[in-house]
Amino acid sequence: MGKLDVADFQDIARRYAAAIPGAALVEFATAAHLIAMDAPDEVASVLGEFLVR
């Protein structure tokens, strides 16, 4: 979730994370709505950790 995104989208992300079994909410402090563009290195790191599970 981009911490700089609008509050509505942050709320939606929190609800999805709470409702999806096994989900984990990841917050990106320097990103808004387009997380992959705003914080590409951080996204790659999180995805890499996820994919090795």
Side-chain angles (χ1 to χ4, degrees):
M1 167 183 78
K3 292 293 289 178
L4 303 177
D5 206 346
V6 295
D8 289 346
F9 285 109
Q10 291 184 34
D11 291 340
I12 292 167
R14 287 185 188 96
R15 282 187 271 156
Y16 279 142
I20 298 171
L25 181 66
V26 178
E27 297 181 358
F28 296 90
T30 62
H33 192 71
L34 300 174
I35 298 168
M37 292 182 70
D38 293 338
D41 293 336
E42 292 87 345
V43 170
S45 176
V46 170
L47 282 176
E49 292 171 12
F50 173 77
L51 293 173
V52 297
R53 290 200 253 160

